[in-house]
Amino acid sequence: MRITTRFAAAAALFAALMLSQGNKAEGQAIVLPGPWPPLPPVERPETPLRVETKSVNIEINDRAARTTSVHSISNSSGRELEATFLFPVPASAAVTGWSLEIDGAMVPGKLLNRDEARRIYEGIVRSQKDPALLEFAERDMFKASVYPVPPRGQRIVSLSYDSVIEANGDSYRYVYPLPASSAQSPSVVSVKIKSSKPIKNIYSPSHPISVHRNGEHSAEVGFEVSSAAPRADFALYYSVSEDDIGMTLLTHRDASDGGFFMLMASPRVDFPEDDIAPSDIVFVIDRTGSMRGEKMDQAREALKFCLRGLRPSDRFNVILFNERAEPLFDGLQKAEYSRVDQALNVADSIMALGGTNIDSALESAFSMKYDPDRPAYVIFLTDGLPTVGATDVATILRNASSRAPKNIRLFVFGVGFDVNTRLLDKLAAENRGAAEYVRPEEDIEVKVSALYRMISAPALTDIRLDFGLMNATDMLPATLPDIFLGSHILVAGRFTGIPGPVRLTGMAAGAKKEFVLRPPEKIGNNPFIAQIWAARRIGLLLEEIRRGGGDYKRELVTEVAYLSKKYGIITEYTSYLVEEPNMRLSAAPAARYREQMLMETRTQEAADAVSGAWGVNQSINAGNLAKSAAPLPETQSYRDKNDNVVNVTNVRSVQGRAFYLDAGTWNDSRYTDDIRNIANIKPYSEAQFAIIREIPELREYFAIGENMNIVLGDMALRVSPDGDETITASQLKALLARRDML
């Protein structure tokens, strides 16, 4: 017996979409128990139909992509039901074919036109009252019937479609929309990429991905969706290049803030062995009494891991220090078997005792006769404050500056909380390296071995970037790191010109090399780049404030406050943005003065914490921001002065703009209480759909909630329950005139 229910509820499904760079891919499959259109909204039980996306598989061959998603439609009732399967067509994607299987059998479907699709969508949104569905309005739609869905059973639906990717230069972008509800997300998303040209940089700004390279022309990418996974759409970028070092340039231009760029560079998978630069590496290990026990055991294993990873062409030495520094060898030695074996035996017998003479250890490390044509690395590990010899921070830094060879890179590991973070941070920053901190509950071996894996095979060193006509500024990091096999560098910055050829130069095994990236065909629409740059900038400013101690400059504090508010990047210095929203929302000069004073008080207090849990945590927090490689997650976190993890959940980013949740209302970071020109509309109203039809880019903003204030120049668009059902022609005209201010 065939029974058609009258439930009007819709359940969100997903489909993978392919779009060219600069356009957002959007799509969603919806199961509707018929008939359609629904009855007027009334109180009714939830639909017994439930849909889940089991998996999504994407196969990309050059510019052709096939996307297949597998869904289950389950029926919790005791009768057969019919479901209508609706799938929004990817906007701007060249869809070349569709197929739908239900339990292995092919079934017909119909492509609805824009007007019919709009009528269905608006009915769904009004009945569901789910703002997340607004993001998928104004789309054509694929429709098919699923019958029967057996009582207390399920049907398996497999949807496939083919599409063509539009490239921007040698870069490609793929987006798969994920739902707000993790229960409706696919458990696994996998992508197989094949290219006639060698594949270089593979990057996702939205999700932590695993990448498996099958030679130069093939790669597999995947991630598993969990309850903690980001709710953002899955975005995947990759580029192709015949060069030994391949580059990817992503750009974005904001109407008010100008241009932002992000450049990635990575070596080819089968990078020529002869071009891998032999290195000079010195391991400096603290063996003072405080290292006794588990810390010393982990340090031994870390050292042994690094020693076993040396290549025969490398030169090395090991320095153990307490009150004085003791090199294992008289100078740098070739990494021959006998020498490495001797060092391994010494590592097994390290005894921990005595005080900490950091100055002597650095002097010993820097006095080695490094080859100026080789990259030189010092890995320095300590768990204590300087207690013997020179103990004044300024003196140690001054001595290090005068002794360090020009080609040295100093990587510092601070173990535990009893370290001077200002000293270690400055040593690393002034010697082209980085400072890492190992918290008491963390494993020294894991952190040291991870770094060594990265630096053990330099592909290009002493690199320089020339952006030519772009007029690039504010590049971060300011000092460019080396490029190593199996990894990539990421540089973010701003630009005022036009994208032109980018030149990357550096040294590969003693020979100068140059690589040229042809410019993208157009400036992209990648607003996430601005937030990545802002996070890195805030991290840099916080590091400068901390290194300066009480002598920091006031303008640094002001810039941290400005960038934090604008981009929704919350730190221990700027937590007032979410703790005291009235101060953020007020346009009064008194509020700005109070904000400045609060920032300066917090900054001074924080800058004085050089060691201990808070000193270490601040260095970790700032360092994490300075290394940002993706937009911040929906739940931001940092460790405070009490060593507690602070989670911030009431900040969202939409198209690079921050929104703060204040007493149930999402407020644009640009919104203040002195804005008087306000268009107030009701959610799910004709007014909201009329605006979407005229300004479709507002869909993503509307999708975050039913109560919000969006700023367009001197005007605010408010969505609230007491808003108007319709919008006047003059209000719509005013919004259209300010469209470029989004």
Side-chain angles (χ1 to χ4, degrees):
M1 179 178 180
R2 180 169 176 163
I3 299 176
T4 301
T5 70
R6 291 181 176 271
F7 297 119
L13 271 181
F14 280 81
L17 309 176
M18 182 69 64
L19 283 189
S20 63
Q21 182 172 321
N23 292 289
K24 187 178 188 304
E26 296 155 317
Q28 187 176 22
I30 296 169
V31 167
L32 289 178
W36 191 263
L39 299 175
V42 294
E43 290 294 327
R44 52 170 62 89
E46 291 187 1
T47 174
L49 291 175
R50 177 179 175 82
V51 61
E52 293 182 2
T53 304
K54 296 297 186 181
S55 64
V56 177
N57 296 285
I58 305 106
E59 295 183 359
I60 301 173
N61 289 281
D62 286 327
R63 294 186 60 191
R66 166 159 288 192
T67 299
T68 301
S69 55
V70 179
H71 317 275
S72 68
I73 302 174
S74 58
N75 175 9
S76 62
S77 75
R79 51 188 176 172
E80 287 185 348
L81 297 178
E82 178 185 21
T84 300
F85 188 83
L86 300 175
F87 183 91
V89 175
S92 303
V95 178
T96 58
W98 297 85
S99 63
L100 184 68
E101 286 187 15
I102 301 179
D103 291 339
M106 299 297 297
V107 297
K110 176 185 178 183
L111 191 63
L112 306 180
N113 62 36
R114 179 68 55 86
D115 290 338
E116 189 175 359
R118 176 187 297 150
R119 178 176 60 82
I120 292 175
Y121 257 130
E122 292 183 6
I124 292 170
V125 174
R126 287 192 174 102
S127 63
Q128 280 290 89
K129 297 192 181 302
D130 181 356
L133 293 175
L134 289 167
E135 189 173 342
F136 306 104
E138 294 300 298
R139 293 285 181 265
D140 294 337
M141 188 179 294
F142 179 80
K143 176 182 177 181
S145 175
V146 180
Y147 177 81
V149 183
R152 296 183 177 82
Q154 67 175 10
R155 302 295 298 271
I156 300 299
V157 176
S158 176
L159 175 70
S160 297
Y161 67 91
D162 298 328
S163 57
V164 177
I165 307 173
E166 292 184 18
N168 189 3
D170 290 325
S171 297
Y172 299 84
R173 177 179 184 243
Y174 180 93
V175 176
Y176 181 82
L178 290 173
S181 169
S182 60
Q184 297 165 350
S185 297
S187 56
V188 177
V189 175
S190 63
V191 186
K192 293 183 178 180
I193 306 172
K194 292 184 179 179
S195 172
S196 56
K197 291 184 177 181
I199 301 169
K200 287 301 189 295
N201 302 290
I202 301 175
Y203 168 76
S204 173
S206 60
H207 290 75
I209 58 174
S210 62
V211 178
H212 177 68
R213 304 296 296 264
N214 304 310
E216 291 291 336
H217 299 269
S218 177
E220 296 182 12
V221 179
F223 74 92
E224 294 185 4
V225 178
S226 67
S227 58
R231 293 193 293 176
D233 294 346
F234 170 55
L236 182 69
Y237 292 77
Y238 69 95
S239 62
V240 297
S241 172
E242 300 283 357
D243 292 336
D244 286 344
I245 303 291
M247 290 182 281
T248 303
L249 179 65
L250 303 180
T251 56
H252 178 73
R253 179 160 277 161
D254 185 277
S256 59
D257 295 323
F260 294 87
F261 73 87
M262 187 174 79
L263 181 135
M264 292 171 285
S266 64
R268 62 188 302 158
V269 174
D270 57 353
F271 193 84
E273 180 69 25
D274 291 342
D275 285 348
I276 298 175
S279 304
D280 288 343
I281 307 175
V282 175
F283 306 98
V284 185
I285 307 298
D286 184 336
R287 62 165 181 176
T288 57
S290 57
M291 285 287 291
R292 189 178 297 114
E294 186 178 10
K295 286 194 288 187
M296 195 72 257
D297 292 340
Q298 292 177 3
R300 286 192 196 98
E301 294 305 313
L303 175 58
K304 288 159 65 176
F305 176 89
C306 297
L307 291 170
R308 293 188 181 107
L310 291 168
R311 289 176 294 126
S313 58
D314 293 332
R315 299 191 304 168
F316 81 105
N317 206 338
V318 177
I319 299 173
L320 306 178
F321 78 96
N322 45 26
E323 290 95 342
R324 61 194 182 97
E326 296 182 355
L328 175 58
F329 303 113
D330 183 16
L332 293 164
Q333 303 293 313
K334 286 187 177 180
E336 299 170 344
Y337 174 81
S338 60
R339 295 295 193 185
V340 172
D341 190 58
Q342 184 180 352
L344 288 169
N345 290 332
V346 169
D348 278 328
S349 61
I350 299 174
M351 299 292 292
L353 70 162
T356 308
N357 193 334
I358 290 177
D359 186 64
S360 175
L362 290 170
E363 180 182 19
S364 180
F366 290 162
S367 65
M368 300 286 170
K369 293 182 179 179
Y370 297 97
D371 185 338
D373 294 328
R374 289 182 173 213
Y377 303 103
V378 173
I379 296 178
F380 187 97
L381 186 148
T382 182
D383 79 330
L385 302 167
T387 58
V388 179
T391 58
D392 176 64
V393 169
T395 300
I396 296 173
L397 290 170
R398 187 166 54 250
N399 290 342
S401 178
S402 64
R403 296 165 178 162
K406 291 183 178 180
N407 63 332
I408 207 75
R409 285 87 160 157
L410 176 61
F411 293 93
V412 178
F413 287 88
V415 180
F417 292 148
D418 192 23
V419 292
N420 188 312
T421 58
R422 188 173 299 159
L423 170 62
L424 300 186
D425 288 347
K426 277 193 171 184
L427 282 170
E430 293 175 2
N431 291 282
R432 302 170 63 188
E436 292 281 347
Y437 292 91
V438 186
R439 291 175 51 82
E441 71 276 11
E442 295 178 325
D443 192 316
I444 298 171
E445 181 187 358
V446 171
K447 288 214 166 183
V448 174
S449 59
L451 171 76
Y452 184 74
R453 282 193 196 95
M454 183 185 74
I455 69 171
S456 61
L460 196 70
T461 63
D462 301 303
I463 67 175
R464 299 286 186 272
L465 281 168
D466 181 0
F467 286 89
L469 298 174
M470 281 185 66
N471 296 327
T473 62
D474 299 321
M475 285 195 301
L476 298 170
T479 301
L480 298 175
D482 298 334
I483 299 176
F484 302 96
L485 263 60
S487 64
H488 69 267
I489 65 166
L490 189 154
V491 180
R494 308 186 71 170
F495 71 95
T496 57
I498 59 174
V502 178
R503 285 178 166 78
L504 170 68
T505 58
M507 302 298 293
K512 186 175 182 179
K513 296 290 182 75
E514 179 180 84
F515 305 94
V516 180
L517 173 69
R518 66 187 179 101
E521 297 168 0
K522 58 186 177 181
I523 293 177
N525 179 27
N526 301 295
F528 66 86
I529 298 175
Q531 192 189 56
I532 292 175
W533 175 84
R536 289 187 166 207
R537 178 68 179 167
I538 290 172
L540 173 68
L541 293 171
L542 294 181
E543 288 174 342
E544 288 186 9
I545 290 170
R546 284 182 45 72
R547 287 198 292 265
D551 297 328
Y552 65 85
K553 297 178 181 179
R554 174 172 287 187
E555 56 264 31
L556 301 183
V557 177
T558 302
E559 188 175 356
V560 168
Y562 169 77
L563 292 174
S564 294
K565 178 180 178 181
K566 180 177 177 62
Y567 293 101
I569 301 167
I570 308 303
T571 70
E572 62 265 50
Y573 299 78
T574 56
S575 58
Y576 65 86
L577 291 170
V578 293
E579 295 167 351
E580 301 185 45
N582 290 336
M583 184 164 57
R584 187 188 73 247
L585 294 170
S586 175
R592 300 286 71 77
Y593 175 78
R594 181 167 173 249
E595 179 182 26
Q596 181 71 24
M597 292 300 100
L598 181 59
M599 269 290 294
E600 291 195 14
T601 299
R602 291 188 176 188
T603 300
Q604 184 62 64
E605 181 185 6
D608 290 339
V610 175
S611 60
W614 198 22
V616 170
N617 288 337
Q618 284 186 81
S619 285
I620 293 173
N621 294 338
N624 288 340
L625 286 172
K627 294 181 291 188
S628 294
L632 296 178
E634 288 190 356
T635 299
Q636 300 180 46
S637 63
Y638 61 86
R639 286 188 178 269
D640 65 10
K641 64 180 180 181
N642 298 316
D643 200 28
N644 296 318
V645 176
V646 178
N647 292 317
V648 180
T649 59
N650 54 345
V651 183
R652 293 283 186 274
S653 180
V654 181
Q655 291 295 311
R657 185 180 296 197
F659 283 79
Y660 296 83
L661 183 60
D662 303 320
T665 297
W666 287 100
N667 285 314
D668 191 325
S669 62
R670 307 178 192 191
Y671 180 77
T672 54
D673 57 12
D674 65 336
I675 296 178
R676 295 291 177 263
N677 185 7
I678 299 174
N680 188 9
I681 63 170
K682 192 172 186 177
Y684 320 116
S685 63
E686 175 55 35
Q688 191 170 39
F689 289 113
I691 292 172
I692 288 174
R693 287 192 286 271
E694 296 296 328
I695 312 177
E697 55 266 38
L698 277 170
R699 291 169 302 148
E700 192 171 351
Y701 293 84
F702 288 151
I704 67 171
E706 298 179 342
N707 295 272
M708 63 189 316
N709 286 300
I710 308 169
V711 175
L712 297 87
D714 61 346
M715 183 178 183
L717 174 58
R718 176 171 295 166
V719 181
S720 67
D722 60 354
D724 297 327
E725 287 281 355
T726 59
I727 188 167
T728 66
S730 61
Q731 286 178 319
L732 190 56
K733 182 178 179 181
L735 290 172
L736 284 167
R738 294 163 174 80
R739 184 176 187 174
D740 291 340
M741 299 178 184
L742 275 175

